Amino acid sequence: MNVDLITEIKPSKNAPLFGFWYPACPSSDLGPGSLKGTIMLGLPILVCKTAQGAVAAMRDICPHRGMPLSFGRMHNDCVECAYHGWRFDQKGRCQGIPALVEGSPIQPDKIGILTYPCRERDGYIWVFIPDSQQPDQTIPDVPPLPLPSSPYRMVQISTTLDCTIDDGIVGLMDPAHGPFVHQSSWWRTQDSMHEKAKTFEPIPCGFRMVPHAPSKNSGPYKILNLFYGGPLTTTIDFVLPNQRFEFVQCGSMFVSTRATVTPITDLQCRIDFCAAWNALGWLPFSKTLFRYFANIFMRQDKQAMERQAVGLRYNPALMLIDDADTPAKWYYKLKSAHLASVQTGRPFDHPLKGRVTLRWRS
């Protein structure tokens, strides 16, 4: 039996990865002329939007007396602190201190706040969290959700998890929990379990389950096959630091989803799930239905991972066994390889060297 102990790769366990884009909040949470505070990777971050729709992100701490700026408001496209009214533009530069008298030697424009690259894409406000070990890092594009055509419908849902980032991500990619965590007559049951064989290949900073016929014991896939006649294929990618993509296609019809797990603190993270589709366009209230069923799945995963976290508090020695746990092993090795590359300057050593077929029952 092939067994790996997680303790073998403990140096990087639960450490968040810097130098990547993370979703700060859904776009719907940030209207024109508004601001919102959040915590990402243990950092207090403010995201804001001007009346014209330009977005920005900065440290959510006023340099004057430490008041979180998120308690303030937007005033003439500047963030205004709720305590003494100091105002900061989208570049983090102070544009006014109301308490100053005429002739004061203080120059507000010499005072600034740390800012972060910020973009709006696919219904989210994204913030790039730089890595202090890579001061000259080129900022990549915001990772896009695959959208081959338009029009399409789109939904976003989120929830917090009381677990560590690594445990949240491993739960995201686990292929064998479905018949137990997501039991239902319309999805799958333990009686429908059967052996599966899936082929994986390396992609930059991640791995891909290559296009394949979806599971025969999943009701929604049967519906798509019924209406569109196949061939129906699905492709699943995992990409560092925290993204799982699934792309289902049947001719010109598609369902494209992305789930991310973003660390908030050492013991809490947030799942953001986004889905876009052009299939079943005739179905009334399809966004409401999609959101309803996606929320069921998310609640089930949340419950499972938070229950697991109760046991993990005691730091048990864990086993990753055989093919069903191999994607989790790859995640830990990808993360270690990334950290090693950053620390040594050597090229990224991908742990997956070529195509591999894995087998498990689910």
Side-chain angles (χ1 to χ4, degrees), residues 55-72:
V55 295
M58 63 190 72
R59 178 174 165 82
D60 189 18
I61 300 290
C62 181
H64 177 215
R65 300 280 287 275
M67 172 68 78
L69 292 166
S70 52
F71 289 119

PDB file of all heavy atoms in Angstrom, residues 55-72:
ATOM      1  N   VAL A  55     -11.609  50.521  -9.172  1.00  0.00           N
ATOM      2  CA  VAL A  55     -11.409  49.829  -7.902  1.00  0.00           C
ATOM      3  C   VAL A  55      -9.970  49.989  -7.424  1.00  0.00           C
ATOM      4  O   VAL A  55      -9.046  50.181  -8.225  1.00  0.00           O
ATOM      5  CB  VAL A  55     -11.761  48.331  -8.008  1.00  0.00           C
ATOM      6  CG1 VAL A  55     -13.244  48.152  -8.291  1.00  0.00           C
ATOM      7  CG2 VAL A  55     -10.924  47.637  -9.084  1.00  0.00           C
ATOM      8  N   ALA A  56      -9.785  49.905  -6.112  1.00  0.00           N
ATOM      9  CA  ALA A  56      -8.462  50.013  -5.498  1.00  0.00           C
ATOM     10  C   ALA A  56      -8.467  49.233  -4.198  1.00  0.00           C
ATOM     11  O   ALA A  56      -9.532  48.936  -3.631  1.00  0.00           O
ATOM     12  CB  ALA A  56      -8.090  51.479  -5.252  1.00  0.00           C
ATOM     13  N   ALA A  57      -7.278  48.869  -3.728  1.00  0.00           N
ATOM     14  CA  ALA A  57      -7.129  48.152  -2.463  1.00  0.00           C
ATOM     15  C   ALA A  57      -5.967  48.758  -1.696  1.00  0.00           C
ATOM     16  O   ALA A  57      -4.948  49.140  -2.281  1.00  0.00           O
ATOM     17  CB  ALA A  57      -6.896  46.664  -2.712  1.00  0.00           C
ATOM     18  N   MET A  58      -6.114  48.840  -0.385  1.00  0.00           N
ATOM     19  CA  MET A  58      -5.063  49.394   0.472  1.00  0.00           C
ATOM     20  C   MET A  58      -5.158  48.779   1.861  1.00  0.00           C
ATOM     21  O   MET A  58      -6.146  48.114   2.192  1.00  0.00           O
ATOM     22  CB  MET A  58      -5.184  50.921   0.550  1.00  0.00           C
ATOM     23  CG  MET A  58      -6.470  51.432   1.173  1.00  0.00           C
ATOM     24  SD  MET A  58      -6.698  53.239   0.979  1.00  0.00           S
ATOM     25  CE  MET A  58      -7.083  53.361  -0.780  1.00  0.00           C
ATOM     26  N   ARG A  59      -4.123  49.012   2.654  1.00  0.00           N
ATOM     27  CA  ARG A  59      -4.120  48.531   4.035  1.00  0.00           C
ATOM     28  C   ARG A  59      -5.255  49.210   4.797  1.00  0.00           C
ATOM     29  O   ARG A  59      -5.416  50.439   4.745  1.00  0.00           O
ATOM     30  CB  ARG A  59      -2.768  48.840   4.677  1.00  0.00           C
ATOM     31  CG  ARG A  59      -2.636  48.435   6.144  1.00  0.00           C
ATOM     32  CD  ARG A  59      -1.193  48.657   6.595  1.00  0.00           C
ATOM     33  NE  ARG A  59      -1.042  48.635   8.042  1.00  0.00           N
ATOM     34  CZ  ARG A  59      -0.939  47.541   8.785  1.00  0.00           C
ATOM     35  NH1 ARG A  59      -0.967  46.358   8.188  1.00  0.00           N
ATOM     36  NH2 ARG A  59      -0.794  47.603  10.100  1.00  0.00           N
ATOM     37  N   ASP A  60      -6.020  48.403   5.525  1.00  0.00           N
ATOM     38  CA  ASP A  60      -7.211  48.916   6.199  1.00  0.00           C
ATOM     39  C   ASP A  60      -6.875  49.459   7.591  1.00  0.00           C
ATOM     40  O   ASP A  60      -7.525  49.119   8.584  1.00  0.00           O
ATOM     41  CB  ASP A  60      -8.265  47.808   6.301  1.00  0.00           C
ATOM     42  CG  ASP A  60      -9.615  48.335   6.796  1.00  0.00           C
ATOM     43  OD1 ASP A  60      -9.836  49.558   6.724  1.00  0.00           O
ATOM     44  OD2 ASP A  60     -10.434  47.512   7.260  1.00  0.00           O
ATOM     45  N   ILE A  61      -5.870  50.320   7.650  1.00  0.00           N
ATOM     46  CA  ILE A  61      -5.453  50.941   8.906  1.00  0.00           C
ATOM     47  C   ILE A  61      -5.064  52.389   8.618  1.00  0.00           C
ATOM     48  O   ILE A  61      -4.184  52.645   7.784  1.00  0.00           O
ATOM     49  CB  ILE A  61      -4.251  50.217   9.552  1.00  0.00           C
ATOM     50  CG1 ILE A  61      -4.595  48.751   9.854  1.00  0.00           C
ATOM     51  CG2 ILE A  61      -3.816  50.936  10.826  1.00  0.00           C
ATOM     52  CD1 ILE A  61      -5.578  48.532  10.965  1.00  0.00           C
ATOM     53  N   CYS A  62      -5.707  53.343   9.276  1.00  0.00           N
ATOM     54  CA  CYS A  62      -5.310  54.738   9.118  1.00  0.00           C
ATOM     55  C   CYS A  62      -3.971  54.959   9.824  1.00  0.00           C
ATOM     56  O   CYS A  62      -3.812  54.551  10.981  1.00  0.00           O
ATOM     57  CB  CYS A  62      -6.374  55.657   9.704  1.00  0.00           C
ATOM     58  SG  CYS A  62      -5.977  57.415   9.528  1.00  0.00           S
ATOM     59  N   PRO A  63      -2.999  55.586   9.158  1.00  0.00           N
ATOM     60  CA  PRO A  63      -1.685  55.783   9.776  1.00  0.00           C
ATOM     61  C   PRO A  63      -1.693  56.784  10.926  1.00  0.00           C
ATOM     62  O   PRO A  63      -0.713  56.894  11.653  1.00  0.00           O
ATOM     63  CB  PRO A  63      -0.824  56.277   8.616  1.00  0.00           C
ATOM     64  CG  PRO A  63      -1.782  56.915   7.668  1.00  0.00           C
ATOM     65  CD  PRO A  63      -3.043  56.107   7.781  1.00  0.00           C
ATOM     66  N   HIS A  64      -2.797  57.492  11.105  1.00  0.00           N
ATOM     67  CA  HIS A  64      -2.872  58.502  12.155  1.00  0.00           C
ATOM     68  C   HIS A  64      -3.000  57.863  13.541  1.00  0.00           C
ATOM     69  O   HIS A  64      -2.079  57.934  14.359  1.00  0.00           O
ATOM     70  CB  HIS A  64      -4.070  59.426  11.884  1.00  0.00           C
ATOM     71  CG  HIS A  64      -4.298  60.462  12.926  1.00  0.00           C
ATOM     72  ND1 HIS A  64      -5.566  60.889  13.283  1.00  0.00           N
ATOM     73  CD2 HIS A  64      -3.439  61.152  13.710  1.00  0.00           C
ATOM     74  CE1 HIS A  64      -5.474  61.814  14.220  1.00  0.00           C
ATOM     75  NE2 HIS A  64      -4.188  61.987  14.495  1.00  0.00           N
ATOM     76  N   ARG A  65      -4.116  57.174  13.785  1.00  0.00           N
ATOM     77  CA  ARG A  65      -4.357  56.603  15.101  1.00  0.00           C
ATOM     78  C   ARG A  65      -4.804  55.138  15.036  1.00  0.00           C
ATOM     79  O   ARG A  65      -5.335  54.610  16.005  1.00  0.00           O
ATOM     80  CB  ARG A  65      -5.419  57.435  15.836  1.00  0.00           C
ATOM     81  CG  ARG A  65      -5.050  58.895  16.051  1.00  0.00           C
ATOM     82  CD  ARG A  65      -4.120  59.106  17.216  1.00  0.00           C
ATOM     83  NE  ARG A  65      -4.846  58.930  18.477  1.00  0.00           N
ATOM     84  CZ  ARG A  65      -5.553  59.886  19.078  1.00  0.00           C
ATOM     85  NH1 ARG A  65      -5.647  61.100  18.535  1.00  0.00           N
ATOM     86  NH2 ARG A  65      -6.168  59.655  20.209  1.00  0.00           N
ATOM     87  N   GLY A  66      -4.578  54.500  13.895  1.00  0.00           N
ATOM     88  CA  GLY A  66      -4.847  53.068  13.791  1.00  0.00           C
ATOM     89  C   GLY A  66      -6.295  52.686  13.564  1.00  0.00           C
ATOM     90  O   GLY A  66      -6.642  51.501  13.634  1.00  0.00           O
ATOM     91  N   MET A  67      -7.166  53.618  13.276  1.00  0.00           N
ATOM     92  CA  MET A  67      -8.574  53.304  13.023  1.00  0.00           C
ATOM     93  C   MET A  67      -8.704  52.564  11.685  1.00  0.00           C
ATOM     94  O   MET A  67      -8.150  53.003  10.673  1.00  0.00           O
ATOM     95  CB  MET A  67      -9.400  54.586  12.970  1.00  0.00           C
ATOM     96  CG  MET A  67     -10.850  54.393  12.524  1.00  0.00           C
ATOM     97  SD  MET A  67     -11.870  53.488  13.684  1.00  0.00           S
ATOM     98  CE  MET A  67     -12.199  54.791  14.896  1.00  0.00           C
ATOM     99  N   PRO A  68      -9.430  51.430  11.655  1.00  0.00           N
ATOM    100  CA  PRO A  68      -9.690  50.802  10.349  1.00  0.00           C
ATOM    101  C   PRO A  68     -10.435  51.760   9.429  1.00  0.00           C
ATOM    102  O   PRO A  68     -11.475  52.320   9.803  1.00  0.00           O
ATOM    103  CB  PRO A  68     -10.548  49.586  10.717  1.00  0.00           C
ATOM    104  CG  PRO A  68     -10.163  49.263  12.116  1.00  0.00           C
ATOM    105  CD  PRO A  68      -9.918  50.602  12.771  1.00  0.00           C
ATOM    106  N   LEU A  69      -9.913  51.937   8.248  1.00  0.00           N
ATOM    107  CA  LEU A  69     -10.534  52.858   7.301  1.00  0.00           C
ATOM    108  C   LEU A  69     -11.892  52.368   6.831  1.00  0.00           C
ATOM    109  O   LEU A  69     -12.719  53.161   6.356  1.00  0.00           O
ATOM    110  CB  LEU A  69      -9.608  53.074   6.106  1.00  0.00           C
ATOM    111  CG  LEU A  69      -8.318  53.842   6.412  1.00  0.00           C
ATOM    112  CD1 LEU A  69      -7.333  53.703   5.262  1.00  0.00           C
ATOM    113  CD2 LEU A  69      -8.611  55.308   6.694  1.00  0.00           C
ATOM    114  N   SER A  70     -12.136  51.071   6.964  1.00  0.00           N
ATOM    115  CA  SER A  70     -13.414  50.525   6.505  1.00  0.00           C
ATOM    116  C   SER A  70     -14.593  51.005   7.338  1.00  0.00           C
ATOM    117  O   SER A  70     -15.748  50.827   6.939  1.00  0.00           O
ATOM    118  CB  SER A  70     -13.358  48.990   6.514  1.00  0.00           C
ATOM    119  OG  SER A  70     -12.925  48.499   7.771  1.00  0.00           O
ATOM    120  N   PHE A  71     -14.342  51.640   8.491  1.00  0.00           N
ATOM    121  CA  PHE A  71     -15.431  52.255   9.250  1.00  0.00           C
ATOM    122  C   PHE A  71     -15.803  53.628   8.685  1.00  0.00           C
ATOM    123  O   PHE A  71     -16.780  54.243   9.135  1.00  0.00           O
ATOM    124  CB  PHE A  71     -15.053  52.398  10.727  1.00  0.00           C
ATOM    125  CG  PHE A  71     -15.002  51.088  11.468  1.00  0.00           C
ATOM    126  CD1 PHE A  71     -13.823  50.654  12.042  1.00  0.00           C
ATOM    127  CD2 PHE A  71     -16.131  50.304  11.576  1.00  0.00           C
ATOM    128  CE1 PHE A  71     -13.774  49.451  12.735  1.00  0.00           C
ATOM    129  CE2 PHE A  71     -16.091  49.090  12.258  1.00  0.00           C
ATOM    130  CZ  PHE A  71     -14.911  48.658  12.837  1.00  0.00           C
ATOM    131  N   GLY A  72     -15.015  54.104   7.726  1.00  0.00           N
ATOM    132  CA  GLY A  72     -15.254  55.414   7.152  1.00  0.00           C
ATOM    133  C   GLY A  72     -16.178  55.365   5.958  1.00  0.00           C
ATOM    134  O   GLY A  72     -17.061  54.509   5.856  1.00  0.00           O
TER     135      GLY A  72
END
